[in-house]
Amino acid sequence: MKLQRKNRLRALSLGAVAVSGALALTACGSDDNGGGSGSSTSSASANASSIKCDDAKGQLLADGSSAQKNAIDAWVKAFSQACGVQINYKGSGSGAGVTAFTQGQVAFAGSDSALKPEEVTASKKVCSGGQGIDLPMVGGPIALGYNVPGVDNLVLDAPTIAKIFDSKITKWNDAAIKKLNPDAKLPDLKIQAFHRSDESGTTDNFTKYLIAATPDNWKYSGGKAWQAKGGQSAPQSAGVAQQVKQTSGAIGYFELSYVADGVKAVSIDTGASKPVAPSTESATADIAAAKVVGTGKDLALQLDYKTKAEGAYPMTLVTYEIVCDKGNKADTLPATKAFLRYIASEDGQKVLSTIDYAPVPDEIIAKVRTTIEGLS
């Protein structure tokens, strides 16, 4: 049975990877690709036996974080196979998702940043008798993907990263990069730094890392909208990843699941004994130290961007599913609860590590499960 289950999870992983490829091919447009590419009956039914459909029916509209798009695609295949509920998750970006939620256009939203006070206030208009809350569901590293011919291993630290994305280091053979990579053959090549064009929780978390780790070199206030001058932009994580893949000398930030052929990931010198590469394990090591700072049923987390712990990758994010604690629409509540219950379950969380995401630590996900059961 264990072998059979392992094979099924591997099939699910392959299906999600195929979805990732489809996203990359259409990255110049929206991330709303339907998620059909590469699916199979075996992958969709990988966790079907553990899914409780209850009264779930109809369809759900959702939008938000493109960081979790590949995870959502994998989950939707399994859930829809088991329950017959159609879920349309656009993945237009965290900013678009929060706006759609506070305007009552979606059953739930995904965001890589917790709701701001003014967004909580706005949510009260659509959550009858309640408000929007943050449920941490997906963890993972923000990878710095690069495309530099002849350079297979690259180490950067926070000050150097900040200067690259603030257009203060403009060549790959700059002295600061050479110092961190004494054995690399760094070319005299212009750096093409790509950032998100849309409001993004990935941008918010990336800049929070720079603000925390190197405040002297990153003077911007941060947030979902990119603030630094210069560089080039692309929509959604898939769009940035595609631009890096096709541009010699490029570097950009996106989730590890978007690192594909032709793109390699930077290891970060955090001050630990060895540079840390982005991985499920290194992200989990950092997220495990997160603290719940939300109040009431809100489970917003505070991450440690300045970690120097051995093997802990500092540039991580947690994606929240945003839903009303009370006052969810009666026609979508059963399906919303059933889907959230599945993705927060042990089986749902196990899927994440097979597709380059990090499961939410046990202590935190236990609180998420309890909160989901109380949604009304």
Side-chain angles (χ1 to χ4, degrees):
M1 290 295 292
K2 289 184 178 180
L3 180 59
Q4 197 173 37
R5 180 167 187 76
K6 184 176 181 181
N7 289 335
R8 287 177 176 178
L9 284 175
R10 185 178 292 114
L12 178 56
S13 173
L14 291 172
V17 170
V19 171
S20 176
L23 286 169
L25 290 172
T26 57
C28 291
S30 169
D31 271 14
D32 183 11
N33 297 292
S37 176
S39 64
S40 67
T41 303
S42 60
S43 66
S45 61
N47 296 292
S49 62
S50 65
I51 297 174
K52 298 179 180 178
C53 301
D54 292 340
D55 297 322
K57 58 183 178 181
Q59 64 177 350
L60 293 179
L61 297 179
D63 197 2
S65 163
S66 65
Q68 69 167 356
K69 183 69 164 64
N70 293 339
I72 290 285
D73 285 340
W75 281 329
V76 164
K77 287 174 188 173
F79 184 78
S80 296
Q81 174 76 15
C83 301
V85 175
Q86 180 184 350
I87 300 177
N88 181 4
Y89 182 82
K90 288 186 176 182
S92 301
S94 296
V98 172
T99 297
F101 178 76
T102 57
Q103 292 179 352
Q105 298 171 358
V106 293
F108 69 91
S111 177
D112 309 317
S113 300
L115 291 169
K116 296 177 180 178
E118 60 269 26
E119 292 168 340
V120 173
T121 298
S123 74
K124 293 179 180 180
K125 296 178 182 179
V126 296
C127 301
S128 180
Q131 66 180 49
I133 56 172
D134 301 288
L135 300 178
M137 204 71 76
V138 182
I142 301 173
L144 282 176
Y146 70 95
N147 178 359
V148 182
V151 180
D152 294 328
N153 297 291
L154 184 68
V155 175
L156 297 175
D157 59 11
T160 308
I161 295 167
K163 291 173 184 177
I164 286 173
F165 281 89
D166 200 20
S167 303
K168 292 178 179 176
I169 290 179
T170 59
K171 288 289 190 72
W172 280 111
N173 61 351
D174 185 274
I177 302 177
K178 282 185 175 180
K179 186 176 180 180
L180 291 164
N181 301 273
D183 299 325
K185 294 181 180 180
L186 297 164
D188 181 14
L189 179 66
K190 182 181 178 181
I191 295 174
Q192 307 278 359
F194 284 88
H195 57 265
R196 289 282 289 271
S197 60
D198 53 321
E199 289 202 357
S200 160
T202 310
T203 295
D204 190 16
N205 284 275
F206 176 54
T207 55
K208 279 179 179 176
Y209 161 71
L210 295 176
I211 291 167
T214 183
D216 291 343
N217 294 294
W218 195 260
K219 300 292 187 179
Y220 305 97
S221 60
K224 293 178 183 176
W226 185 256
Q227 296 172 325
K229 305 299 181 183
Q232 301 180 62
S233 65
Q236 285 87 51
S237 292
V240 175
Q242 179 69 3
Q243 290 299 320
V244 172
K245 181 178 180 178
Q246 66 187 26
T247 307
S248 180
I251 187 170
Y253 58 90
F254 36 80
E255 293 65 44
L256 184 60
S257 65
Y258 289 94
V259 174
D261 293 342
V263 178
K264 297 179 176 63
V266 170
S267 294
I268 297 181
D269 183 347
T270 64
S273 63
K274 296 179 180 179
V276 185
S279 69
T280 297
E281 294 77 16
S282 63
T284 299
D286 183 55
I287 296 171
K291 298 178 180 178
V292 176
V293 293
T295 57
K297 293 182 178 180
D298 187 271
L299 297 174
L301 302 178
Q302 183 179 65
L303 300 171
D304 183 7
Y305 298 102
K306 296 192 291 182
T307 183
K308 294 183 180 179
E310 296 295 330
Y313 186 79
M315 202 158 56
T316 57
L317 60 75
V318 169
T319 300
Y320 303 95
E321 310 314 327
I322 296 171
V323 67
C324 298
D325 58 353
K326 298 178 181 178
N328 291 280
K329 294 179 181 178
D331 58 338
T332 59
L333 178 60
T336 299
K337 285 184 72 170
F339 182 65
L340 294 178
R341 181 186 295 121
Y342 161 57
I343 68 178
S345 71
E346 184 177 350
D347 282 338
Q349 289 288 298
K350 279 181 180 178
V351 171
L352 294 175
S353 59
T354 71
I355 49 176
D356 292 327
Y357 292 99
V360 176
D362 290 343
E363 182 179 346
I364 298 171
I365 202 67
K367 295 178 181 179
V368 172
R369 292 167 186 155
T370 300
T371 302
I372 290 169
E373 295 308 318
L375 298 179
S376 62

